[in-house]
Amino acid sequence: MLHHSVPRKFEIGDEVQLISTVIEVLPSGRARVSIPSYGQAYAVDPPPRTRAGDKVVLVGDVIGVDCQANRLKVRIDCGGVITVNPSSVNKLKKHRQLGWG
């Protein structure tokens, strides 16, 4: 039997998580993190006692899906919007559509 990977389908409203790596902790207490497939450092408020090299989980909601470019636009809970590859995120909760009756 042939096995192939099934592409993960993301929809607007899905809750997702991204695993970022702390690059450095700034004197202000914020941390610069590297997010896979984002391409630039991003500043977040890290948990206490965070050091460079630690992993930080960012949680957010999908606000845009570009299937042609294979990119997701995610509004992360710490207030920003980033665009990443779907392979960089893990789906936590599927968006539920509310039905009538």
Side-chain angles (χ1 to χ4, degrees):
M1 175 188 281
L2 293 175
H3 294 281
H4 57 87
S5 62
V6 177
R8 294 182 283 177
K9 298 266 184 165
F10 290 94
E11 296 178 1
I12 293 174
D14 288 348
E15 184 177 28
V16 296
Q17 74 175 4
L18 300 104
I19 308 297
S20 62
T21 304
V22 176
I23 300 169
E24 71 175 316
V25 178
L26 304 171
S28 66
R30 292 181 57 87
R32 286 182 54 221
V33 298
S34 171
I35 301 169
S37 79
Y38 183 54
Q40 55 189 329
Y42 192 84
V44 299
D45 290 322
R49 295 183 292 282
T50 298
R51 297 182 183 183
D54 289 352
K55 302 292 184 191
V56 176
V57 176
L58 304 175
V59 177
D61 296 313
V62 174
I63 61 169
V65 178
D66 185 342
C67 295
Q68 289 181 326
N70 194 33
R71 305 289 279 172
L72 297 175
K73 190 176 283 191
V74 179
R75 182 183 320 272
I76 50 180
D77 288 347
C78 57
V81 175
I82 61 173
T83 303
V84 295
N85 290 339
S87 61
S88 299
V89 301
N90 296 315
K91 190 183 303 188
L92 295 177
K93 294 181 188 173
K94 181 160 178 54
H95 171 67
R96 284 187 8 189
Q97 293 181 339
L98 300 176
W100 296 94

